[in-house]
Amino acid sequence: MGVRFRGSWVALVTPFRDGKVDEPALRRLVDLQVAAKTDGLVPCGTTGETVMLSIQERERVIAAVVEQSHGRLPVLAGGPGNDTAASVEAARRAKALGADGVLAVTPYYNKPMPEGHYRHFAAIAEAGLPVIAYNVPTRTSTDLQPETVKRLADQRLLAGVKEATGSMARLLEIRELCGDGLDLLSGDDFTIAPFMACGGHGVISVSANVVPQRVRALVHDALEGRLAASVAEQVRLGPLHRALFSESNPIPVKAAMALLGRCGPELRLPLTPLSDSHLPPLRAALVELGELS
């Protein structure tokens, strides 16, 4: 059996310096995640500002993460978008660069019907990498239906789903239709513990950039049956989660990483720096968790 996409996976930020990808900082972030015993790395997702990266930059980021990991952690590469042909090519390139799987978002803006979703993900699967479908309707204005997930799973075209609706009913419906064969990952940091309690297998987390050990503990407590401990940690992380999503991701997490000295706060337009009013709650949350003095 190949890689299972379970446990605590981090949606890596992409550090920038003077308008360019800061590769040394990116490599340091990989080492930090390895030391924290994070279960997997996800470069070039939403948190990694993938839509603001050129194709060449995206490939360099994936390559650098794979190289720096040295096989210590699996890599699930983002990149596929709303153009099916370009998404297939991105998946092929990710495979050539050594990624262990590809995270493919539902096509945004063009809003395909369920048949379009099916054909889109089926085409990406032909690239030969395990595919995790990323369903995030608040960003894409389109919703991957459980029936389509089942259709793809029945044809062995999906390895799993990153479900970012925050709906436990949605998760349970997928479990009902697909059983335990798919790897089901939360894409909503606010509801990781409930997601796990309802049969989820892990998370692709923004906050794991900031507190990777805590997110890993939350997830593994749930996986190993310590649900009360998992819920308690979810509650403790509440102020941080609210601060990290006070503005569009990844604006606050980039600010948090700068406060912690892990990389610069630089973003690419049309994203703009965190508002002054949102910085004190972010700093306070980091101090409360002992991450900042």
Side-chain angles (χ1 to χ4, degrees), residues 28-138:
R28 290 193 297 271
L29 295 183
V30 171
D31 288 340
L32 181 150
Q33 295 295 332
V34 171
K37 298 184 179 179
T38 293
D39 292 294
L41 306 168
V42 187
C44 296
T46 303
T47 309
E49 298 175 71
T50 187
V51 293
M52 278 85 85
L53 298 175
S54 69
I55 293 173
Q56 293 77 16
E57 287 175 323
R58 191 183 307 144
E59 292 185 2
R60 188 59 219 149
V61 167
I62 293 169
V65 170
V66 170
E67 290 166 10
Q68 192 65 23
S69 176
H70 295 301
R72 295 175 292 174
L73 292 178
V75 176
L76 178 66
N82 67 336
D83 176 336
T84 301
S87 296
V88 171
E89 182 57 27
R92 287 177 178 149
R93 290 296 302 146
K95 182 179 181 181
L97 294 168
D100 298 285
V102 63
L103 179 68
V105 71
T106 51
Y108 46 86
Y109 188 75
N110 41 25
K111 299 177 68 172
M113 301 304 291
E115 180 65 21
H117 278 150
Y118 174 81
R119 295 188 187 188
H120 178 78
F121 288 109
I124 294 171
E126 292 178 3
L129 272 182
V131 177
I132 302 294
Y134 179 16
N135 189 39
V136 55
T138 56

Side-chain angles (χ1 to χ4, degrees), residues 162-287:
K162 177 185 178 183
E163 181 58 55
T165 60
S167 168
M168 301 309 109
R170 168 59 61 86
L171 170 62
L172 289 167
E173 187 175 357
I174 294 172
R175 284 295 304 266
E176 178 185 349
L177 291 173
C178 301
D180 195 39
L182 289 178
D183 293 333
L184 301 177
L185 295 160
S186 172
D188 177 57
D189 281 3
F190 288 94
T191 57
I192 302 169
F195 188 92
M196 302 290 292
C198 289
H201 302 115
V203 65
I204 297 177
S205 170
V206 175
S207 53
N209 283 283
V210 180
V211 285
Q213 294 96 335
R214 286 182 175 273
V215 175
R216 187 186 189 280
L218 189 165
V219 170
H220 281 266
D221 277 340
L223 284 173
E224 295 162 22
R226 297 183 294 274
L227 188 57
S230 179
V231 172
E233 188 64 20
Q234 182 80 64
V235 172
R236 279 191 289 271
L237 290 176
L240 177 64
H241 289 154
R242 288 191 292 275
L244 289 178
F245 293 92
S246 59
E247 295 184 17
S248 298
N249 180 46
I251 291 172
V253 72
K254 275 288 188 72
M257 297 295 273
L259 286 172
L260 295 170
R262 294 177 185 169
C263 70
E266 190 172 326
L267 299 146
R268 283 188 174 172
L269 288 171
L271 298 182
T272 51
L274 185 67
S275 301
D276 290 344
S277 62
H278 288 142
L279 194 57
L282 176 60
R283 184 186 295 273
L286 293 171
V287 170

